[in-house]
Amino acid sequence: MTSPDPALSHDLTRARAYHDTCRAALAAMIDGADEQVVIGEDVSASGADAEVLGYRLRSQAKELRELPEGPLFFGRLDFASDAADHAGQRYHIGRLRITEDPAAPPLVVDWRAPVSRAFYQASARAPQGVAVRRRYGWAPGSRGDSADLTGLEDEHLGRGEDRSSAIVAREIERPRVGPMRDIAATIQPEQDDLVRADLPVSVCVQGAPGTGKTAVGLHRAAYLLYTHPQRIRRGGLLVLGPNRTFLSYIAEVLPALGETGVRQSTLAEEIAASRPVTGYDDEAAACLKHDARMAEVLRRALYARVAADGADDLAVVDGSYRWRVGAGELARIVGGVLEERPPYAVGRERVRSRIVRRLQEQAERRAGPQPLSWVRRIERARVVTACLDAVWPKARPEEVVADLLTSPDALARAADGLLSPAERKTLLWARPPRSWKSARWSAADLVLLDEVAGLIEHPEGYGHVVVDEAQDLSPMEARAVARRSAFGSLTVLGDLAQGTTPWAARDWAGLLRHLGKPDAIIVPLTTGYRVPAAVLGLANRLLARLDVAVPEARSLRRDGELRIVDAGADLAGALVTAVRDALAGEGSLGVVAADGDVPAVRRALTGAGIAHGGPEDLAARVTVVPATLVKGLEYDHVVAVEPATIADSEPRGLHRLYVTLTRAVSHLTILHTHPLPF
């Protein structure tokens, strides 16, 4: 906010000079980090210590070098002289800590530091010791040039002054071109509470469109990496998105916050391993494979391979001695391990160790204590391995699933009391392969394979997992996520109203059970900062028809525009006109249509000479997006083509339409020739 006020002009000049100081200090930090790497490589220490130290120093230097360009601070806190904490102190708030010397007070305080919380939470009613909160306004797209600092805005909380921020409003409403930006400068109090939730706490955010749930999840990831660096980096942090287009859109948020060591992936990529999807399921078979009952069917199929009475007496020749374990004792060993319900591979090794222990007890009664080398030799003895293969054979996920889906008898035994005969018939492969090695796996089959792999050997799991668009997870997919967070917490983000898969959740409680976090806190976000009120009001008219119990969202945005255009007989002409009208303004434009209509939309735009890209082209001004890929994306202008076709294209088409209508940041134009579903 610029002003002719001389005092404000003076403050701007001083703030720009301070930013130059911060920029020089950051450059020195980067140079210093590089120098420390060189010193660390020459340090005198053990090889292991030197390797660990070198890795840490190189990682720190790499993170500093890879910081995206941009303003170094966006706010300032001036504490009152009588504040209980930080009395009389002044702190600039930014995306990372900047200091001229590690022992000196920081020039910029990281937004995640405890003192920074007052920047987001302080108010006239509860100033938290803050006398003045200052926000800085930067030119759109600034790369951090001090001349781009164009305005500032003060709130005198100590005087009871609490007003809406024009700078925050402009930042929220700034045109959306390119990938998602961070929201560190504009985090709202209810969002900040979620961002700073403790690491052990799993949080489920039911976020209406435009409430910032994705940004909240990413900022919580950055916050946890900052506050628990050792614990999180030891196990890793995983961000799961619905597709690669979405991940490309959010890819720059964490690096902008100084965090580069986060794995961003889709669940399909996590479970695919090296198996390509070459098979296909119809919807009925896919839905069954995603059904929670399949977990028990697969467990039965796997453990049906165990045969407590599958071996005769075991006899092991040891020099002039012969040690024996009778069939009855073998059955008791196997039965005891089964009761413990360990992972399958762990159970096999427990059986082996207990068989060897029985043999060792006999040997020690006859010949005294046996060395470890004797134990290792007996463990590898061919007759012991043959016995183990008979009672607890090795198992591969591919073998288990292929045997189940090709054998009516095996499936009937495993699914007894769980699946009807008709359902079992639906699951069986129409053309069984010669062996599992030649099987053509479908996407749903990979979920089954992942379940069996988890039964055989539990994965290590991540320190924290953020899963976005979680409402679209099936019970079996949720179990796959749970295995990857068995020893960590979850941030679950989604909106039940935007569930579009055949197995989309109707409520959070059931899905959280499958995710292994039944006690997770469910927090609704209903205040919209992105979608204008007129657009959100239209979308809310669909909620009653979506068969989910979610609160209506309200928007703080009173700007924006909603246009509904009856295209008559010339839909292509109306489309071209709408796109050209939108291009007369600022920002990005998304043209969203049912997947089958996308080729016709592209032809119309190409014929009119309007350049456009696909959803993966983040630099394109005009993007043509199939309705099935628009979830999670946002555009300044959205042209929604033929809503009735989007609604009729799939069983949950109304949910898909709800998603489509809520992608607009400023303007939504609806083109139709058929009656509107709302």
Side-chain angles (χ1 to χ4, degrees):
M1 178 176 64
T2 58
S3 170
D5 186 327
L8 284 178
S9 297
H10 177 67
D11 281 352
L12 272 177
T13 300
R14 293 180 60 187
R16 289 167 182 155
Y18 191 81
H19 192 266
D20 287 335
T21 300
C22 295
R23 177 65 65 193
L26 178 60
M29 288 171 60
I30 295 172
D31 291 341
D34 289 334
E35 182 179 350
Q36 287 298 316
V37 171
V38 175
I39 295 172
E41 290 175 346
D42 296 332
V43 72
S44 176
S46 69
D49 288 344
E51 183 176 348
V52 170
L53 176 60
Y55 172 78
R56 289 179 179 173
L57 292 174
R58 286 192 299 273
S59 297
Q60 292 169 0
K62 181 174 182 289
E63 289 176 1
L64 284 173
R65 286 195 304 271
E66 292 182 353
L67 281 171
E69 294 180 319
L72 299 182
F73 56 77
F74 50 78
R76 196 182 81 186
L77 289 174
D78 295 355
F79 281 86
S81 58
D82 59 350
D85 297 309
H86 312 288
Q89 296 297 309
R90 170 176 290 175
Y91 303 103
H92 285 75
I93 313 298
R95 288 166 177 81
L96 78 160
R97 186 178 191 271
I98 299 175
T99 180
E100 293 175 305
D101 183 272
L107 296 172
V108 177
V109 176
D110 194 297
W111 67 276
R112 297 166 287 188
V115 69
S116 299
R117 185 164 198 181
F119 183 78
Y120 303 106
Q121 296 282 355
S123 65
R125 183 171 297 176
Q128 301 184 23
V130 177
V132 180
R133 173 169 52 207
R134 171 168 289 183
R135 301 181 190 273
Y136 294 99
W138 292 85
S142 173
R143 300 172 69 86
D145 189 313
S146 297
D148 293 337
L149 179 52
T150 58
L152 55 86
E153 187 179 74
D154 287 343
E155 292 174 89
H156 295 270
L157 302 181
R159 302 178 192 167
E161 181 179 301
D162 196 356
R163 54 191 172 84
S164 60
S165 167
I167 285 178
V168 171
R170 283 200 299 273
E171 176 65 21
I172 291 173
E173 297 167 12
R174 184 189 298 179
R176 260 66 169 173
V177 178
M180 176 185 274
R181 303 186 305 268
D182 69 86
I183 61 165
T186 61
I187 293 173
Q188 301 300 300
E190 69 274 16
Q191 296 172 327
D192 186 66
D193 289 336
L194 292 169
V195 166
R196 296 175 192 264
D198 290 340
L199 174 60
V201 176
S202 289
V203 178
C204 174
V205 181
Q206 162 55 47
T211 55
K213 57 183 175 293
T214 297
V216 164
L218 295 174
H219 285 68
R220 186 180 185 210
Y223 174 78
L224 293 177
L225 284 164
Y226 174 86
T227 52
H228 305 280
Q230 300 295 334
R231 291 175 61 185
I232 292 293
R233 293 191 190 281
R234 189 182 308 121
L237 196 149
L238 174 66
V239 175
L240 289 173
N243 52 58
R244 268 287 142 197
T245 299
F246 177 82
L247 291 175
S248 298
Y249 180 61
I250 68 171
E252 295 186 14
V253 174
L254 286 171
L257 297 171
E259 303 296 346
T260 57
V262 177
R263 177 169 176 77
Q264 300 190 39
S265 183
T266 68
L267 183 59
E269 291 170 348
E270 291 297 298
I271 68 176
S274 59
R275 312 177 193 94
V277 174
T278 56
Y280 170 78
D281 286 315
D282 60 29
E283 186 171 306
C287 286
L288 269 176
K289 291 177 181 180
H290 281 277
D291 192 294
R293 293 174 294 170
M294 288 303 298
E296 177 61 18
V297 172
L298 292 168
R299 191 197 68 79
R300 291 180 184 177
L302 173 62
Y303 283 91
R305 295 170 171 256
V306 176
D309 56 354
D312 298 326
D313 292 356
L314 169 64
V316 178
V317 177
D318 181 23
S320 60
Y321 298 108
R322 183 184 294 269
W323 317 118
R324 294 181 181 275
V325 178
E329 178 64 9
L330 284 172
R332 284 190 290 273
I333 289 173
V334 173
V337 172
L338 279 174
E339 289 179 359
E340 295 166 8
R341 297 178 71 91
Y344 188 90
V346 173
R348 175 180 163 90
E349 292 310 309
R350 285 184 187 175
V351 171
R352 184 197 298 272
S353 67
R354 292 176 191 183
I355 289 173
V356 173
R357 181 60 185 161
R358 299 296 187 274
L359 298 171
Q360 185 180 1
E361 288 169 353
Q362 296 175 41
E364 290 181 345
R365 283 196 298 269
R366 179 68 64 88
Q370 300 298 312
L372 183 60
S373 59
W374 182 93
V375 175
R376 296 289 177 257
R377 177 168 57 82
I378 297 300
E379 285 177 340
R380 295 192 297 269
R382 185 172 299 175
V383 291
V384 171
T385 299
C387 174
L388 189 62
D389 288 341
V391 297
W392 200 296
K394 289 182 178 180
R396 293 178 59 99
E398 295 87 349
E399 290 178 293
V400 175
V401 175
D403 287 351
L404 186 69
L405 300 184
T406 57
S407 170
D409 291 340
L411 181 56
R413 289 192 297 271
D416 182 39
L418 294 172
L419 302 179
S420 69
E423 288 175 320
R424 298 199 298 266
K425 185 177 180 180
T426 298
L427 281 176
L428 288 169
W429 282 340
R431 296 180 179 179
R434 293 183 178 179
S435 74
W436 64 265
K437 294 180 180 179
S438 59
R440 296 171 61 86
W441 303 107
S442 69
D445 289 333
L446 298 190
V447 180
L448 304 184
L449 293 172
D450 193 76
E451 178 75 22
V452 177
L455 290 169
I456 293 174
E457 191 167 3
H458 290 174
E460 291 185 8
Y462 288 84
H464 189 79
V465 178
V466 178
V467 53
D468 207 346
E469 303 297 348
Q471 76 281 345
D472 279 333
L473 293 175
S474 71
M476 293 297 285
E477 288 174 324
R479 290 175 61 85
V481 174
R483 284 189 288 278
R484 287 156 176 81
S485 63
F487 303 106
S489 51
L490 276 175
T491 298
V492 181
L493 311 168
D495 179 9
L496 297 175
Q498 297 185 54
T500 52
T501 58
W503 40 78
R506 265 67 175 183
D507 65 79
W508 286 116
L511 184 61
L512 289 171
R513 285 196 300 272
H514 295 306
L515 285 167
K517 308 294 181 184
D519 298 326
I521 301 169
I522 303 174
V523 181
L525 287 181
T526 58
T527 301
Y529 304 98
R530 172 176 58 81
V531 184
V535 175
L536 204 53
L538 178 67
N540 282 339
R541 288 163 58 183
L542 281 176
L543 276 180
R545 301 177 60 188
L546 300 186
D547 191 29
V548 289
V550 299
E552 285 192 0
R554 64 183 185 91
S555 176
L556 297 183
R557 300 274 306 279
R558 299 305 169 194
D559 60 338
E561 181 184 8
L562 170 64
R563 296 176 61 222
I564 300 178
V565 179
D566 187 340
D570 188 13
L571 183 60
L575 169 63
V576 170
T577 299
V579 170
R580 284 178 173 159
D581 288 347
L583 289 175
E586 289 186 294
S588 58
L589 169 61
V591 181
V592 187
D595 292 32
D597 288 346
V598 165
V601 168
R602 290 188 177 280
R603 285 194 299 271
L605 296 181
T606 300
I610 299 174
H612 57 278
E616 71 287 344
D617 186 358
L618 298 179
R621 176 85 189 280
V622 179
T623 305
V624 178
V625 190
T628 55
L629 292 181
V630 77
K631 189 176 296 182
L633 305 182
E634 56 184 32
Y635 301 94
D636 292 286
H637 308 262
V638 168
V639 177
V641 181
E642 205 64 272
T645 304
I646 295 174
D648 294 341
S649 293
E650 54 185 311
R652 293 177 69 84
L654 283 175
H655 293 258
R656 188 79 68 187
L657 178 59
Y658 180 83
V659 174
T660 298
L661 296 178
T662 54
R663 301 304 95 199
V665 175
S666 297
H667 304 278
L668 171 63
T669 300
I670 295 173
L671 304 179
H672 72 100
T673 61
H674 302 299
L676 293 170
F678 41 79

